[in-house]
Amino acid sequence: MPDDTSTAAAKPAGITFGDLVVPDTPTSAAALEVASAYQSPALLNHSVRAYVWAAARAMDQGIEVDAELLYVAALLHDMGLVAEFDSHTEPFEVAGGHLAGVFTAGAGWPAERRRRLAEIIVRHMDPEVDVATNPEGHVLSRAAALEILGRNADDFAPDFRGGVLERYPRLGLVAEFLT
């Protein structure tokens, strides 16, 4: 997770790893525990990087997001790719949204918040998500596009990008996605 003591290279606006906050909630901790238990190291690093990119973009652009909602969505957004949760009847992002809804029901989240989480996860594959109606989905969609397609890389200074990849290396993510 982002290290609050870091003085890693900043984005042009001055954002460092230390500026990024990992929500300190039981649900956030449980999401990390579940993601760590079921995702490969490459997929887990991808999920953490997705949060870092999304949170940094939100901070840089002044986009108000629910940090816990964004963090849980980022960690669980690709759980539908994990063998234990893969569905033959649903696309992986829809299966992941269902899983996240069940997970957060167990965490006591109200139905509307669970619905929002599922929507964010399902929409992470959309090329554009309206920031005004779904700020968490907007930044996560851009983060996922950066992660998989290299799109939006210029949103971040090269030193910041390098620091993210140094902390959370790709570890063969592309090969894993292709299998």
Side-chain angles (χ1 to χ4, degrees):
M1 300 298 88
D3 178 353
D4 289 340
T5 62
S6 171
T7 57
K11 287 184 54 9
I15 294 173
T16 67
F17 283 102
D19 296 325
L20 303 178
V21 176
V22 173
D24 185 19
T25 67
T27 303
S28 295
L32 178 60
E33 182 179 339
V34 167
S36 298
Y38 287 98
Q39 294 178 3
S40 70
L43 192 57
L44 179 61
N45 277 4
H46 160 70
S47 298
V48 172
R49 283 192 311 272
Y51 174 73
V52 170
W53 302 131
R57 173 152 178 83
M59 184 175 288
D60 183 56
Q61 298 294 309
I63 299 169
E64 289 189 34
V65 296
D66 178 322
E68 181 186 46
L69 189 61
L70 178 59
Y71 185 73
V72 172
L75 288 179
L76 302 180
H77 80 276
D78 280 341
M79 290 294 282
L81 294 170
V82 173
E84 292 86 348
F85 306 111
D86 191 5
S87 171
H88 69 280
T89 62
E90 300 277 0
F92 82 93
E93 63 273 21
V94 174
H98 290 307
L99 173 71
V102 170
F103 170 81
T104 51
W109 283 19
E112 178 56 24
R113 186 167 173 81
R114 295 191 314 263
R115 186 202 60 74
R116 288 247 9 253
L117 176 64
E119 177 187 6
I120 292 163
I121 290 172
V122 169
R123 302 277 320 271
H124 89 270
M125 294 292 292
D126 291 0
E128 292 293 326
V129 178
D130 183 17
V131 67
T133 59
N134 188 349
E136 296 84 7
H138 171 78
V139 295
L140 186 58
S141 172
R142 289 185 67 90
L146 170 59
E147 273 292 297
I148 302 305
L149 304 172
R151 192 178 301 146
N152 313 315
D154 290 339
D155 286 355
F156 305 97
D159 288 348
F160 187 82
R161 287 193 316 261
V164 172
L165 292 171
E166 183 178 316
R167 286 170 184 245
Y168 310 106
R170 295 184 64 79
L171 302 176
L173 179 68
V174 172
E176 189 173 314
F177 269 21
L178 295 176
T179 58

